[in-house]
Amino acid sequence: MPISYSVGQSPLYRLSSRKRMYELLQVTQADWVLLRRNKGYNCFPLPDRYRSTLPALRHKPRNVQSPEELLKKTQKRLTDLLSRIELPEYLHSARKGHSYKTNALQHTFGHSLARIDIKKFYESTYISYVQRYFSEVLCCVPDVAHQLADISTFGKRLPTGSPLSPLLSFLAYQPMFDELYKLAREMELTMTVYVDDVVVSGPGVASRFIEPASKIIARYGLRAHKFSTSSAGSPLVITGVERRQTGDVAPGARFRKIRALQTELARARTPERKCLFLKALIGQYREGHALIPNALVHAKRYERELNKFPVAAVKSRSRRLKKKT
């Protein structure tokens, strides 16, 4: 059972000295000086791992800021401390015992649905909102709040590759999400949040939520986009799960990706390329085994094929990617 307590019970609450901050984050003063001075990140474009022209495997350019070892360790420790603070039930990301599947299960088939994404959520989460969380919610003294915000951000915003960003992005904007939740409740809608994905559903017209919700989001300096709706009785596609009258299945996008991976596997001419697509197919079937018929049978078949290749061929692609980054 995950540890959970109120904000006032957190060891971070009313944190008033650097010495205590070092103890909580399990770093020395020398470590902290090094972190503040260097704040080391590996910055790189997300690799196009498949190098495919198929739409289902199309590469989406994205820059990643991944913290170096000491900074990553410190951010993980801060994430652990923050994750123990009670979170609202509507949040299904960045917390133990919750996932994209539990997020989808909150919404009942037969209801209408509306979805809003927050555009570039991490990159739009400014240090001022992060520092405000540490100073106004956790009531840390100004110096401590500033330093915690400083080691949590990159270029005054949340880094895309940090273990801290999924949780801290929510905490920094929790007042906004609470406003959205209040709006949903007033409209008699169920609301869930998964990172930057806000979904509402209910027996009423869920699409009515989009316009006032977008205004709330804009008031916090963020931008809502990728609006989508489903009418009552239609299949509901929510964070990787499609809810139908006959039960939950994997959405069409997952099956399209599987077919594209199978196509590229058949085209592959080198052991490294074959191993790349075999591992991807195994991952797709194992991760979606509860939603795909005979998924584990398919996964095991591809695992037997993968095991025929030398270890060097299986690992070479991942080594090249690691070296590149």
Side-chain angles (χ1 to χ4, degrees):
M1 188 76 177
I3 298 172
S4 182
Y5 41 58
S6 66
V7 170
Q9 293 176 302
S10 171
L12 293 168
Y13 188 67
R14 294 190 181 279
L15 190 57
S16 59
S17 74
R18 293 189 188 186
K19 182 179 179 181
R20 179 58 179 153
M21 179 180 66
Y22 302 150
E23 292 172 355
L24 287 173
L25 296 181
Q26 300 173 351
V27 295
T28 65
Q29 184 176 355
D31 286 338
W32 192 259
V33 171
L34 186 63
L35 283 173
R36 295 286 313 283
R37 183 179 300 157
N38 297 333
K39 252 174 78 173
Y41 283 89
N42 295 310
C43 303
F44 54 89
L46 191 68
D48 183 1
R49 65 180 300 216
Y50 297 125
R51 292 177 288 140
S52 172
T53 58
L54 298 178
L57 301 179
R58 187 173 296 156
H59 176 61
K60 296 180 180 179
R62 185 165 67 92
N63 292 322
V64 177
Q65 303 91 36
S66 178
E68 293 178 354
E69 186 176 354
L70 178 58
L71 180 57
K72 186 174 184 178
K73 180 181 176 182
T74 307
Q75 289 178 344
K76 280 185 174 181
R77 174 59 181 166
L78 183 54
T79 303
D80 181 52
L81 292 169
L82 293 173
S83 68
R84 302 177 190 183
I85 299 171
E86 289 174 343
L87 293 167
E89 280 304 312
Y90 63 75
L91 179 68
H92 289 264
S93 55
R95 61 188 304 191
K96 293 179 180 179
H98 295 70
S99 68
Y100 75 90
K101 293 177 183 176
T102 64
N103 183 63
L105 290 175
Q106 308 311 305
H107 300 278
T108 304
F109 174 82
H111 288 174
S112 67
L113 177 141
R115 179 188 295 104
I116 297 176
D117 275 11
I118 299 173
K119 188 172 184 179
K120 295 185 177 179
F121 189 30
Y122 294 170
E123 297 98 315
S124 301
T125 300
Y126 287 95
I127 191 171
S128 57
Y129 279 87
V130 175
Q131 186 165 332
R132 189 177 303 166
Y133 172 75
F134 288 121
S135 63
E136 295 183 5
V137 179
L138 287 175
C139 299
C140 300
V141 298
D143 177 54
V144 170
H146 170 74
Q147 296 210 27
L148 288 173
D150 185 51
I151 64 124
S152 302
T153 53
F154 173 81
K156 306 299 182 183
R157 306 184 186 197
L158 285 184
T160 57
S162 167
L164 180 56
S165 293
L167 178 58
L168 193 52
S169 59
F170 172 79
L171 295 174
Y173 285 94
Q174 186 172 348
M176 177 191 75
F177 288 112
D178 286 345
E179 277 194 56
L180 294 173
Y181 181 68
K182 181 181 178 183
L183 173 65
R185 289 292 297 271
E186 290 171 351
M187 293 183 169
E188 299 183 341
L189 298 171
T190 297
M191 186 187 96
T192 60
V193 173
Y194 193 82
V195 190
D196 58 357
D197 190 31
V198 180
V199 179
V200 296
S201 66
V205 182
S207 59
R208 295 184 297 115
F209 177 81
I210 290 178
E211 184 177 352
S214 298
K215 291 179 179 178
I216 291 172
I217 291 169
R219 194 154 33 83
Y220 283 83
L222 300 173
R223 181 182 171 189
H225 74 147
K226 291 185 180 178
F227 311 113
S228 61
T229 60
S230 299
S231 57
S234 300
L236 305 179
V237 179
I238 308 160
T239 55
V241 178
E242 184 172 317
R243 310 217 72 188
R244 296 181 178 179
Q245 187 173 11
T246 54
D248 296 342
V249 298
R254 185 182 287 273
F255 288 111
R256 287 192 292 273
K257 185 170 185 177
I258 287 174
R259 287 194 293 271
L261 290 169
Q262 290 169 334
T263 298
E264 290 291 9
L265 175 62
R267 292 175 178 174
R269 292 293 175 264
T270 65
E272 291 79 11
R273 290 282 286 173
K274 288 182 182 293
C275 290
L276 171 69
F277 294 113
L278 284 170
K279 287 191 287 184
L281 283 163
I282 292 166
Q284 286 294 315
Y285 279 117
R286 287 214 169 270
E287 200 278 332
H289 73 276
L291 303 171
I292 303 173
N294 300 316
L296 295 181
V297 173
H298 293 300
K300 289 176 182 177
R301 174 166 60 87
Y302 286 121
E303 285 169 357
R304 287 194 294 271
E305 289 188 42
L306 184 66
N307 289 335
K308 294 177 184 178
F309 288 91
V311 174
V314 175
K315 293 184 176 180
S316 61
R317 173 68 178 169
S318 59
R319 279 204 304 268
R320 285 205 302 273
L321 283 176
K322 186 175 182 181
K323 184 176 181 181
K324 182 179 178 181
T325 60

